[in-house]
Amino acid sequence: MKILVTVKRIPDPDESLKFAGGGLDTSSSKWVPNAFDEYAVETALRLAEVAGKRDRLAEVIVMSICPAKQRQHVTQFLAMGADRGVVVDADDSELDTIAVSKAIAAVAKSEGVDLTIVGKLSQDNEGNQVAQRVAGLLNVPQAGFAATVKWDKNAGTLDVGREVDDGVEHKLVPLPAVVSVDLRVVLPTSIKNGVTADSHKYQEGPRLASLRGITMAKRKKVKVLKLSDIGVSSAGSEQVVAVAPPPARPSGQIVGSVEELHEKLAKEAKVL
Amino acid sequence: MSSTSFTVNLRDIQFVLFDQLGMDQKLASVEAYADFDRDVYEATLAEGKRIAEDKLAPINGPGDREGCTVDEDGNVTTPKGYKEAWQTLADGGWIAVTAPPELGGSGMPFIMSMALNNMFIGAAMAFMMYPGLGAAAARVIAKHGPEDKRELWASKMFTGEWGGTMCLTESGAGSSVGDNRAKATPTDEPGLYEIEGEKIFISGGDHDLADNIVHLVLARTPNAGKGTKGLSLFMVPKFLVDAEGNLGDRNGAHVLGIEHKMGINGSATCTVGFGSRGRCLGYIVGEENQGIELMFLMMNEARIGVGTQGMAIATAAYQYSLHYANERVQGSSIREARNPDAPKVAIVQHPDVRRMLMTQKVLSETMRSLCYKLALFADLAEHSQDEEERKRLEGRVDLLVPILKAMCTDLGYDVATLAVQIYGGYGYIQEFPVEQLVRDSKIASIYEGTNGIQALDLLGRKMRIGSGALFIDWMQDAEAFLRSAAKDGFIEQTAAIGKAVQALAATSMHLANLGRTRQIEAAFVQANPFLEMFGYVLLAIEAVDQAVVAKRLIDKDGDSPFLQAKLLGLDFYVKTVLPKAIALAKSIQSGDTACLDPQLFQV
C-alpha cells in the first residue's frame, strides 16, 4: 500500500499580516506547515505503522508544491516518520487551485498510490477544494472531513467517520480513494489499521519528531519535479484582484439608559 | 497569547547560531557532524521549541507548588507530569543530544545541546535537573567506566531507561571538596568496592522517572592521601545489575531525606546514605585517586551548562515580561499627564517599563550569544585537527568559563527580578510565573562552584596561566575585533568598549602587582568585582558582534525591527551597561581593604 500525503507551507498564522501593493506581503514571513496537513501525516503514519514494532503496512510519501529550496516543512514531516518526499518546484505565483489539484493527481497517478490523504483546508486561504478536485481528476471515491478512519485490509476499504453538521456520518470507500482530514482525526483512538490493537491509545495530536528521526530525515529521498515534468501548466484560472485588511472596528459607545439604547438601535444602527 | 504562557524566541536563537556564529558552516567540515546541515539543525530547534512550550512549560508551575515527597524507604515521588515529560524526552532522544549514536545519543554538537537547554531549562529548570545530571553522569561512565560495563550502563542512561546523579558534596565538604570523608573499601572482586558515607545536596538522589539510578560518588580508598588528590570516583547503582543490565537486588544507597528549598522544588535535593541501610557496592571509574581529575574533565562543559541555566532563565523572564507589558493596561501615557480623559495604555508605553525591558533584552541576548559562542569553541577545540588552533581554543574556553558561569547566573537572577518588577504586584504572586524564576535561578550562582569560587579560579588560576598568556591572547583578539567593527561603522561604540578593555588590562595589572607584593587578601577581595568587570566587557563585545551581523543583514536583505533592535541594543549597552565596567575598574583600583580589618565582623 502506498499513501500520498499532501503538505503545504503557509505564513505563520500567529504573525500579523503585512500588506503591500494591493496584496499580501509575505517576503518576511515565517513559514510553517499547515496544521491540517500535520494531522494528515499523523493519520497516514498511524495507518502505516504497527504500534510498538518496526513493521510497516504502507509506504508514506509526503508531497509538497513549493520552491525546491524552501522545503523545511518536508524535512519536518520526514523527521516525523514519513518514508520519502516528492517536491514539485513551483512558486505560489504559478499556482491556483486547479494547478495544485492537477499536480497532486499527476503525482498520485505516477506513484500509483492507493490512498491520498490531505488536510481539509489550508489555514491561509481556507479553500477546501483540493481533496474534492483530486478525487474528481483521479475518478476515485472521496471522503471529506474525516474524524475517524478504519482500514479493512482484506476488503480493501476504509470506513471513514466524517464530520457533518449533525454528527458523524460513516462512509465505506473502496481503495484507491482520497480522504481529507479534520481536527478530531488526531484523538488517541481515531485511527484503526486492523493490525495495531484497536484499543491502542496514541498521544493526542500530531506526534513530535524524535531527534533520531530528525537526523535520519536528511537521508530519506526527496524527488524534485517541475510542473512541466508532470504535464501541468501554471496558467492561472484564478486571479487575485485585491487583498486588504478588514476595516478597523469603530469604537463603542456607552449609553445612559435602555431607552437611549433602543433609540440608537432603531435610528442610528437601523437594526430594529 | 496569555502573558503567563512560556514562549521561545526561536528567531533570536537562529540569529545567534546561524547568522552570527555560522555554526552550520563551521561544523560542516567536522567529520562527526558531516551528516548535519542547517535544515537538520533548524528542524531540531523547531521541535525543541514545541517540546519546551507544549510539554515542559506546563509542568513547571504545578511542579514548583507540589514539590517532591520521600517515603520511609527513601523512595522519592516527583510532581505530577514529570514522568510524562521524562518519557517525552526519552522517547525522542532528547536526553543525550551529544552522546554517540551507538550509545543511544544523537551525536550532535555541544552547541546544539546548549541551544536546546536554553529552551528546555527556560521552560522548566527544576525538571531539567533530572535529565541534565543523568546525561552528565553517563558521559563520565561512557569514557571512564569499567570497560565491561561502560557501554551498557551509559546507553541505558543516555536513553533515559536509567537516571544518574553526581555525589560530591558532604556536610563540611562543599566548596572544599578535598575534605570528603566517604570511604571506599576494596572487595575480593577487582574494581568492586564497598562504599560508606553520606552525601548531601544530591540533585535527583532518588526519583520515580527511571528504573534504576546510577550515582557517581567521590570517596577515599584506604591509605589514600588527604585532600582532593586522594579521592576516587565510583559508580553506585540503586539496584545491582547483571551483565545484561537486568535489575537485581536493592543496593545500599538510600535517600535519607530531602531538602525544603527556596526554588527548583520539583527537583529532589537529597541526602543520600551509602551503606547506612545495608551493604553498598560500587565500581571504580577510572583508577584509584583519579576522582578529581575525572571531575575536572567535565568541568568546563558543566560550568557552561550552569551558565546556560542562568541565561535560559533570563531569556524566559524577558519573554514573559515582554508579553505581559504588552497586555497589561495601567495608567495613561506620561505625555498625557494633564489630561484626565487620556486613554489607558499598556504598561509597555511607560518609559520606566521600557528601560527595564531593554535591560532584560540586551543582557539576555548578549548572554545567549556568549554561551553559544563558548559552546561552539568547545566543539571546535574538541575536533580541531590543528594542534595550535586546538590549544588556543581550549585556552580561550578555560579563561572565559568562570566568567560565563558567574556572570550568566548572577545576571539571570537579576533579569528574573526585573521581570517581577515589571509585573508589579502580580509578579510577586504565585499565580504568575515570574517569582518562581527568581527562586529557581538563585541556586545557579551557588552550585557547580559558587560564583566566589569562579572568581578565585579566574584571578588565581586562569589569569596566571603562562604569566597571563590566555588573557593577553584574548585581549589581542578583542582589540582586533573592535578595530574591524569600527571599520563597519561602529566607531563610537568600539572606542568606548576599547577603553573598557584597556581599563580591564590596567585593573588586572593592579591586581597582579598586589599579588607580587604578597598582598594576597587585598587582591582576592577584588576577585569577584574583577570577574564582574570582565563579564561586562565580554558582553559588550557580544553586543558589537550582534550589531555588526545585523548591519550586514540589513545591507543585504533590508531592514527589519528584529535587526534594528540589535543596533539599538548595542547603543543601550554601551551607554548604560558598559559604564559599570569603568566604575568597577575604579573601585577595584581604589585599593580599599576596609573589610579585611580584623576588628570587623566579630560576634
Side-chain angles (χ1 to χ4, degrees):
Chain A
M1 165 114 147
K2 268 190 193 180
I3 304 174
L4 182 72
V5 190
T6 60
V7 297
K8 182 179 179 183
R9 58 167 209 147
I10 58 169
D12 188 347
D14 291 337
E15 287 188 340
S16 49
L17 291 172
K18 281 186 200 153
F19 297 88
L24 283 177
D25 174 15
T26 57
S27 59
S28 61
S29 290
K30 197 178 118 204
W31 296 85
V32 297
N34 177 38
F36 287 103
D37 298 343
E38 295 187 51
Y39 308 154
V41 174
E42 178 64 30
T43 304
L45 292 174
R46 288 186 191 181
L47 284 172
E49 73 193 2
V50 183
K53 292 192 180 156
R54 282 176 173 273
D55 313 1
R56 297 285 279 232
L57 310 176
E59 183 185 30
V60 177
I61 308 162
V62 286
M63 166 187 177
S64 191
I65 311 175
C66 58
K69 286 199 172 144
Q70 288 157 26
R71 55 173 205 237
Q72 226 256 302
H73 56 300
V74 174
T75 308
Q76 189 179 325
F77 290 121
L78 293 174
M80 255 173 89
D83 297 295
R84 62 187 170 91
V86 175
V87 166
V88 179
D89 182 13
D91 194 76
D92 278 351
S93 61
E94 300 171 73
L95 300 170
D96 57 23
T97 313
I98 292 178
V100 166
S101 306
K102 281 181 178 166
I104 294 169
V107 171
K109 215 177 254 176
S110 72
E111 290 283 354
V113 303
D114 305 284
L115 174 60
T116 304
I117 306 180
V118 309
K120 72 166 179 181
L121 51 78
S122 65
Q123 291 161 288
D124 53 353
N125 48 24
E126 303 203 332
N128 182 14
Q129 298 187 36
V130 167
Q132 297 84 334
R133 285 182 184 274
V134 171
L137 289 166
L138 292 173
N139 196 25
V140 298
Q142 53 155 313
F145 317 109
T148 62
V149 180
K150 192 173 178 179
W151 178 18
D152 184 337
K153 221 175 156 196
N154 293 329
T157 56
L158 296 180
D159 176 338
V160 180
R162 305 176 57 236
E163 301 277 12
V164 291
D165 283 349
D166 50 356
V168 176
E169 175 197 70
H170 280 267
K171 246 186 176 180
L172 195 67
V173 291
L175 295 172
V178 178
V179 170
S180 80
V181 297
D182 211 326
L183 273 176
R184 293 199 296 169
V185 81
V186 289
L187 289 180
T189 57
S190 309
I191 310 293
K192 300 188 180 4
N193 68 6
V195 179
T196 297
D198 280 3
S199 59
H200 180 78
K201 280 193 172 169
Y202 280 94
Q203 277 217 341
E204 191 174 322
R207 68 195 59 193
L208 292 163
S210 73
L211 198 45
R212 182 150 191 81
I214 293 168
T215 55
M216 295 299 285
K218 287 306 273 191
R219 295 190 199 146
K220 293 180 175 175
K221 272 194 224 153
V222 178
K223 191 182 341 175
V224 179
L225 303 167
K226 289 202 178 65
L227 282 174
S228 55
D229 295 339
I230 48 177
V232 177
S233 72
S234 60
S237 62
E238 294 166 15
Q239 206 182 341
V240 175
V241 178
V243 182
R249 216 157 66 160
S251 57
Q253 296 177 31
I254 295 174
V255 292
S257 65
V258 175
E259 288 72 27
E260 192 188 339
L261 173 66
H262 185 265
E263 186 167 318
K264 279 182 182 288
L265 288 175
K267 291 191 176 158
E268 283 181 28
K270 298 197 171 110
V271 292
L272 292 181
Chain B
M1 187 179 302
S2 156
S3 59
T4 48
S5 68
F6 171 80
T7 47
V8 167
N9 184 350
L10 198 56
R11 178 79 169 90
D12 196 55
I13 292 174
Q14 289 173 336
F15 174 84
V16 180
L17 291 176
F18 305 122
D19 297 323
Q20 185 188 347
L21 297 176
M23 60 82 74
D24 52 325
Q25 307 285 331
K26 291 207 175 89
L27 294 176
S29 57
V30 173
E31 201 189 328
Y33 310 129
D35 276 354
F36 307 141
D37 60 11
R38 181 157 171 172
D39 255 12
V40 172
Y41 293 133
E42 287 206 14
T44 303
L45 295 170
E47 215 61 9
K49 177 180 159 82
R50 284 170 66 168
I51 290 172
E53 291 177 352
D54 302 344
K55 304 284 177 183
L56 300 183
I59 64 170
N60 197 38
D64 175 57
R65 290 188 277 281
E66 187 184 338
C68 296
T69 54
V70 60
D71 70 12
E72 284 178 2
D73 297 327
N75 299 312
V76 169
T77 304
T78 56
K80 274 192 209 76
Y82 270 43
K83 262 189 193 167
E84 291 76 10
W86 176 273
Q87 211 51 52
T88 298
L89 294 195
D91 289 348
W94 301 95
I95 291 179
V97 174
T98 59
E102 59 274 18
L103 296 182
S106 294
M108 285 213 159
F110 181 52
I111 183 175
M112 278 307 284
S113 84
M114 286 305 106
L116 290 168
N117 273 351
N118 183 176
M119 305 182 195
F120 294 173
I121 292 166
M125 173 168 167
F127 169 77
M128 284 304 295
M129 298 292 289
Y130 297 100
L133 281 154
R139 281 195 294 274
V140 178
I141 291 170
K143 276 193 183 148
H144 307 286
E147 260 180 53
D148 60 334
K149 296 184 178 61
R150 63 169 70 145
E151 291 193 358
L152 179 71
W153 287 42
S155 64
K156 284 189 181 288
M157 295 167 80
F158 283 140
T159 53
E161 192 179 333
W162 297 358
T165 72
M166 296 279 192
C167 301
L168 281 69
T169 300
E170 296 175 12
S171 59
S175 291
S176 61
V177 67
D179 295 336
N180 240 282
R181 296 180 307 270
K183 283 196 304 187
T185 316
T187 65
D188 296 340
E189 189 184 325
L192 186 65
Y193 291 69
E194 199 170 328
I195 312 292
E196 285 172 281
E198 194 174 301
K199 297 283 177 179
I200 61 165
F201 298 166
I202 306 310
S203 299
D206 188 68
H207 56 72
D208 50 1
L209 305 174
D211 299 340
N212 200 5
I213 296 171
V214 182
H215 307 283
L216 278 184
V217 183
L218 273 184
R220 214 176 289 279
T221 48
N223 310 321
K226 285 189 177 171
T228 54
K229 295 209 166 97
L231 292 171
S232 305
L233 190 65
F234 300 89
M235 53 186 212
V236 179
K238 177 179 175 182
F239 289 100
L240 296 168
V241 296
D242 64 16
E244 279 79 48
N246 299 307
L247 302 193
D249 291 342
R250 184 78 167 80
N251 196 16
H254 289 88
V255 167
L256 307 176
I258 58 176
E259 307 294 342
H260 300 277
K261 311 187 293 291
M262 172 179 173
I264 55 166
N265 289 320
S267 168
T269 303
C270 306
T271 300
V272 184
F274 297 92
S276 53
R277 281 191 202 167
R279 196 167 182 233
C280 180
L281 294 170
Y283 299 91
I284 192 155
V285 176
E287 314 264 323
E288 279 191 17
N289 301 323
Q290 218 190 351
I292 274 296
E293 186 191 324
L294 296 180
M295 286 285 107
F296 270 35
L297 286 177
M298 306 265 308
M299 204 165 63
N300 278 344
E301 207 171 292
R303 289 182 173 174
I304 294 174
V306 172
T308 296
Q309 286 184 316
M311 176 271 282
I313 293 289
T315 56
Y318 169 57
Q319 289 296 113
Y320 281 126
S321 304
L322 178 65
H323 288 119
Y324 187 76
N326 273 284
E327 272 179 12
R328 172 76 173 144
V329 173
Q330 180 103 188
S332 46
S333 166
I334 194 110
R335 281 175 305 204
E336 307 243 25
R338 287 156 193 269
N339 174 8
D341 300 325
K344 304 291 178 212
V345 296
I347 60 171
V348 71
Q349 301 296 337
H350 302 317
D352 188 53
V353 172
R354 295 183 86 82
R355 175 191 59 80
M356 290 191 280
L357 284 171
M358 191 69 167
T359 307
Q360 288 186 311
K361 175 181 160 61
V362 166
L363 290 178
S364 60
E365 290 178 5
T366 50
M367 284 195 280
R368 163 144 48 215
S369 170
L370 179 65
C371 290
Y372 290 9
K373 188 177 278 182
L374 228 56
L376 179 64
F377 284 178
D379 279 321
L380 293 170
E382 190 185 340
H383 295 284
S384 176
Q385 305 292 322
D386 179 347
E387 182 63 16
E388 202 170 305
E389 173 73 358
R390 194 179 60 75
K391 273 207 163 141
R392 211 182 63 84
L393 286 167
E394 276 177 356
R396 183 62 50 84
V397 173
D398 282 344
L399 175 71
L400 301 187
V401 152
I403 308 169
L404 177 149
K405 191 275 177 182
M407 204 63 192
C408 292
T409 54
D410 278 344
L411 289 178
Y413 179 79
D414 289 352
V415 171
T417 306
L418 276 175
V420 174
Q421 194 68 25
I422 289 168
Y423 272 64
Y426 291 109
Y428 200 67
I429 291 175
Q430 283 203 347
E431 211 175 307
F432 291 81
V434 289
E435 60 85 31
Q436 187 190 346
L437 296 181
V438 175
R439 290 184 290 106
D440 284 355
S441 65
K442 187 56 210 165
I443 186 60
S445 62
I446 298 168
Y447 60 26
E448 192 50 45
T450 64
N451 287 359
I453 293 282
Q454 304 301 323
L456 284 184
D457 180 43
L458 175 66
L459 191 59
R461 287 187 55 225
K462 304 297 172 59
M463 291 297 289
R464 293 169 60 197
I465 292 176
S467 309
L470 298 183
F471 178 72
I472 291 165
D473 185 54
W474 169 83
M475 202 170 107
Q476 284 170 345
D477 275 2
E479 289 185 327
F481 169 71
L482 290 172
R483 278 195 297 278
S484 103
K487 280 186 198 138
D488 286 323
F490 298 97
I491 295 164
E492 278 171 39
Q493 298 95 328
T494 52
I497 299 168
K499 273 185 197 152
V501 171
Q502 287 302 322
L504 186 66
T507 306
S508 73
M509 286 303 293
H510 167 78
L511 293 174
N513 280 333
L514 289 180
R516 260 192 289 281
T517 52
R518 306 307 297 161
Q519 301 176 66
I520 305 296
E521 282 188 320
F524 279 103
V525 159
Q526 303 299 350
N528 209 311
F530 176 70
L531 181 144
E532 194 183 352
M533 180 192 176
F534 204 155
Y536 280 125
V537 176
L538 272 188
L539 295 181
I541 288 172
E542 297 310 312
V544 184
D545 196 5
Q546 299 216 323
V548 168
V549 174
K551 185 156 185 275
R552 200 180 65 215
L553 291 176
I554 289 170
D555 291 346
K556 187 167 130 256
D557 303 328
D559 210 351
S560 77
F562 174 86
L563 296 172
Q564 202 52 241
K566 294 288 182 193
L567 303 182
L568 291 166
L570 172 62
D571 287 341
F572 178 85
Y573 194 100
V574 168
K575 287 176 184 155
T576 73
V577 183
L578 189 63
K580 292 181 185 181
I582 303 296
L584 281 162
K586 282 194 179 161
S587 121
I588 296 165
Q589 293 181 52
S590 71
D592 174 61
T593 53
C595 72
L596 295 174
D597 192 303
Q599 296 173 84
L600 288 167
F601 315 127
Q602 298 183 25
V603 284

